Amino acid sequence: MMSSKRITQAFVDRAEALTPQLHKARVYPKRQVEIVANEQAFQGWEVKDAGTAEAFNAGTLRQGDSVVLDFGDHQVGYVTFSIRNVDSNADAPLRLGLVFGEMPCEIGEDFANYDGWLSRSWLQDEIINVDVLPGTVTLPRRYTFRYMKITVLATSIRYHVTFPELYCETVTSADEENVVPLPGDVPDDLRELDRVGIKTLRDCMQTVFEDGPKRDRRLWIGDLRLQALVNYETFRSNDLVKRCLYLFAGMRLEDGQVGACLYEKPHPFVDDIYLYDYSLFFIATLYDYYAATQDRQSLLELWPIAVEQAEIALKRLDERGIVRDDDTWYCFLDWHDDLNKQAGAQAALIYNLKRGLLLARELGDSAAETFMQTACRQATAAAMAHLWDEERQFFVSGEGRQVSWASQIWMALAAVLDNAETAALLDRLMRENPAIGMSTPYLYHHFVEALLECGEREKALAQMRAYWGEMLADGADTFWELYNPADKRLSPYGSNLVNSYCHAWSCTPSYFIRKYFIDREGKYTG
Ligand code: RAM
């Protein structure tokens, strides 16, 4: 049974009126390739040159033949091809097998063996039958890919086929012209991180900030928050952030919580998923939006919903003032089966209350100011009294008093300790390296941000270079949803085939470089 949602239609309408136009461009394949098994290569698949794109357009394919086209970079869009029959008229329909892959693994591996727990339907393949030849086909679905495999499953004994033209019409709402070039003295490796970060964001920017254009193709507020930060430093599509905020505000869950994610079609609707940290991020995302735009009218309209998120979050505190823990998926923080969320959730609460407090002051809302300040003081005191382990010098989480990277990172971001103590905490974290580590670029982002916020610029740069830099060395055209340098096939979904390889929350090197290492005069300060 569907639960009833709290809909504020005027907000949804406001959001819909801000739906952006998509920019289109035609992209042709760059070459033909072969994907071959090689244990030394990333995820066990190597890409080998197998001929030019022109040779593909001029060549003939027979029943049973296949070809893999490489578009040279990550694409999001609609594929069109013209097909001609050769040697005879087409006396039977043409049957084609198509596979699209962001990564070589999606072309190399047989989808029939897929055993992940997310739907098989996320894997991008089709069988199409073409009744009339010669002809032109435009595939109705939007694909996200670099590689496209075509297999001729059936012609007839009389005819073969050729593809004189094939291209992808790419779509994005991002406006490249708004991106200010980096100053000349930025080192090449940082330029490359910035370029790929921007490309990642661009491909996720559609009529909302999608989390991943292959999967899940929807708006998650945790991803939105980071995309918005990169956007303010790059494309400056501030109305797209506004649209997303109004969508979340306009469609809340039964008890008023901002939902974790929402869909646009067939009409905007919010999913039932509630995550403690994600709902709270409505406050931080609104705070960042206001800081970037000074859009006071939107702030005024959305403010009551932000306050409400804080009120709802406080209801989860136990008699000690600590977020009640349980075994459900109540808070995100990171994909890690063994991560206890309690301390991270508490820190996310404090982090957002602090931003709520600043907004309350900005608005001169003294009741909200008192509320945020009191809640913040109490949540911080409770964290220090019950989650700080004086002996271990770490924050602990849950009944098992778990020490994890996520808990320390979020307490650092919440600035529960002073700057010097936070820097020492992060230093200890790196030295002692507790077993519950970081799985996603999302948590790596927060680690780098925590280092920067307490003034550890060198360490932050080194972390960013090591992590996202290694992703580049492993062949990233866009940054990935999951990346664990110690286990490169890692997937929280049971198969790396269904991982997203262009993922919103991974695009933040561009934000770090531009926000923290370029000064107001546009000079590089690294
Ligand atoms: C995944 C998506 C998304 C993330 C959620 C929590 O399904 O990758 O990016 O925000 O999880």
Side-chain angles (χ1 to χ4, degrees):
M1 205 184 74
M2 299 274 285
S3 56
S4 53
K5 305 281 168 55
R6 281 229 214 141
I7 308 299
T8 309
Q9 195 55 42
F11 285 178
V12 179
D13 294 344
R14 185 86 44 86
E16 288 294 79
L18 292 167
T19 308
Q21 290 292 318
L22 297 180
H23 309 290
K24 298 182 177 163
R26 228 175 238 203
V27 179
Y28 289 86
K30 299 285 178 291
R31 59 174 181 157
Q32 301 175 61
V33 293
E34 213 186 320
I35 308 290
V36 290
N38 174 355
E39 265 316 306
Q40 304 313 310
F42 179 69
Q43 295 184 340
W45 296 101
E46 185 188 348
V47 180
K48 284 192 168 164
D49 208 82
T52 62
E54 292 74 24
F56 159 70
N57 292 131
T60 298
L61 295 179
R62 294 160 187 273
Q63 182 165 311
D65 285 352
S66 66
V67 64
V68 180
L69 300 171
D70 174 7
F71 278 69
D73 204 349
H74 191 266
Q75 314 294 341
V76 180
Y78 296 86
V79 170
T80 293
F81 45 84
S82 54
I83 322 168
R84 246 187 257 143
N85 47 304
V86 291
D87 294 341
S88 158
N89 60 304
D91 59 333
L94 167 68
R95 190 169 168 83
L96 295 175
L98 305 174
V99 184
F100 296 86
E102 293 185 296
M103 294 296 286
C105 62
E106 291 158 90
I107 304 295
E109 283 167 46
D110 188 346
F111 288 171
N113 303 327
Y114 174 73
D115 61 355
W117 59 263
L118 290 187
S119 173
R120 157 70 175 81
S121 60
W122 285 116
L123 305 181
Q124 306 178 103
D125 63 343
E126 309 287 349
I127 290 176
I128 65 160
N129 296 289
V130 186
D131 292 311
V132 181
L133 294 181
T136 298
V137 174
T138 296
L139 299 173
R141 301 186 69 200
R142 195 191 77 190
Y143 291 102
T144 298
F145 67 104
R146 170 170 173 171
Y147 304 102
M148 173 181 179
K149 180 176 181 180
I150 305 173
T151 304
V152 179
L153 296 173
T155 54
S156 78
I157 49 170
R158 285 174 51 183
Y159 79 96
H160 314 300
V161 285
T162 182
F163 293 79
E165 193 179 34
L166 183 150
Y167 60 86
C168 175
E169 187 154 71
T170 61
V171 283
T172 176
S173 60
D175 195 343
E176 316 265 357
E177 283 180 10
N178 290 349
V179 181
V180 177
L182 291 175
D185 54 343
V186 172
D188 285 348
D189 66 328
L190 296 188
R191 276 180 191 286
E192 195 52 13
L193 289 173
D194 178 63
R195 184 187 68 75
V196 176
I198 289 174
K199 168 77 173 146
T200 306
L201 179 60
R202 175 194 185 279
D203 284 3
C204 292
M205 278 171 72
Q206 301 296 330
T207 44
V208 291
F209 285 97
E210 293 182 10
D211 63 331
K214 178 180 86 173
R215 203 219 84 239
D216 303 322
R217 301 172 64 143
R218 75 193 60 149
L219 176 63
W220 286 85
I221 196 162
D223 300 72
L224 168 65
R225 176 173 144 259
L226 302 193
Q227 285 170 303
L229 291 175
V230 182
N231 170 70
Y232 302 135
E233 304 296 328
T234 56
F235 296 114
R236 299 165 209 237
S237 296
N238 297 347
D239 274 356
L240 188 62
V241 182
K242 180 172 172 181
R243 165 169 159 77
C244 295
L245 281 168
Y246 273 91
L247 283 172
F248 278 114
M251 301 182 295
R252 285 169 297 134
L253 304 180
E254 206 172 357
D255 297 322
Q257 311 96 322
V258 166
C261 70
L262 57 83
Y263 310 81
E264 298 175 86
K265 300 269 189 268
H267 51 78
F269 68 101
V270 64
D271 197 281
D272 290 327
I273 301 173
Y274 164 73
L275 293 168
Y276 190 81
D277 48 349
Y278 272 33
S279 292
L280 280 165
F281 286 144
F282 186 81
I283 306 174
T285 311
L286 182 60
Y287 172 83
D288 295 333
Y289 171 76
Y290 182 70
T293 62
Q294 301 295 303
D295 174 359
R296 206 175 168 88
Q297 197 204 332
S298 301
L299 173 61
L300 275 167
E301 271 187 340
L302 299 177
W303 175 234
I305 289 167
V307 176
E308 195 182 4
Q309 298 318 299
E311 288 165 353
I312 293 168
L314 293 180
K315 291 191 188 143
R316 202 183 162 100
L317 301 186
D318 64 16
E319 58 294 341
R320 301 170 305 162
I322 296 291
V323 175
R324 232 179 321 104
D325 195 24
D326 65 37
D327 291 334
T328 66
W329 193 46
Y330 72 89
C331 178
F332 178 60
L333 303 180
D334 195 19
W335 282 123
H336 194 306
D337 286 345
D338 303 323
L339 173 64
N340 183 283
K341 309 286 175 74
Q342 185 179 48
Q346 183 87 10
L349 171 66
I350 298 166
Y351 177 92
N352 283 284
L353 288 171
K354 286 192 171 168
R355 278 142 190 85
L357 175 59
L358 294 173
L359 287 178
R361 283 193 186 134
E362 173 68 28
L363 288 169
D365 181 342
S366 54
E369 183 178 344
T370 310
F371 162 70
M372 295 283 179
Q373 195 157 37
T374 312
C376 193
R377 202 180 302 126
Q378 288 172 351
T380 306
M384 288 313 294
H386 304 289
L387 302 177
W388 174 249
D389 188 320
E390 187 60 31
E391 203 176 308
R392 293 157 91 181
Q393 292 285 299
F394 279 125
F395 290 94
V396 294
S397 185
E399 243 178 46
R401 299 179 70 75
Q402 179 189 76
V403 174
S404 68
W405 280 71
S407 300
Q408 315 316 312
I409 290 167
W410 270 103
M411 285 294 179
L413 285 169
V416 169
L417 304 173
D418 71 23
N419 244 6
E421 289 166 340
T422 301
L425 174 73
L426 295 176
D427 200 51
R428 212 173 304 123
L429 179 64
M430 285 187 273
R431 267 186 291 112
E432 297 193 20
N433 189 11
I436 309 293
M438 300 183 277
S439 291
T440 59
Y442 178 74
L443 189 53
Y444 269 88
H445 162 88
H446 290 109
F447 180 42
V448 173
E449 177 102 73
L451 286 168
L452 286 165
E453 284 298 303
C454 67
E456 297 280 17
R457 290 164 59 85
E458 291 305 314
K459 285 182 188 157
L461 257 190
Q463 285 296 327
M464 188 175 77
R465 283 183 150 125
Y467 184 68
W468 278 272
E470 195 172 335
M471 230 189 280
L472 285 183
D474 275 331
D477 298 309
T478 44
F479 289 126
W480 304 331
E481 175 187 20
L482 272 305
Y483 186 59
N484 182 345
D487 175 7
K488 294 187 175 175
R489 285 194 177 93
L490 180 91
S491 171
Y493 318 115
S495 167
N496 60 320
L497 294 177
V498 81
N499 286 1
S500 157
Y501 291 92
C502 173
H503 212 71
W505 66 24
S506 202
C507 71
T508 57
S510 306
Y511 158 75
F512 291 133
I513 293 165
R514 288 167 183 266
K515 164 131 194 241
Y516 291 95
F517 296 98
I518 310 286
D519 69 15
R520 276 167 187 240
E521 277 78 56
K523 294 215 176 62
Y524 174 58
T525 61

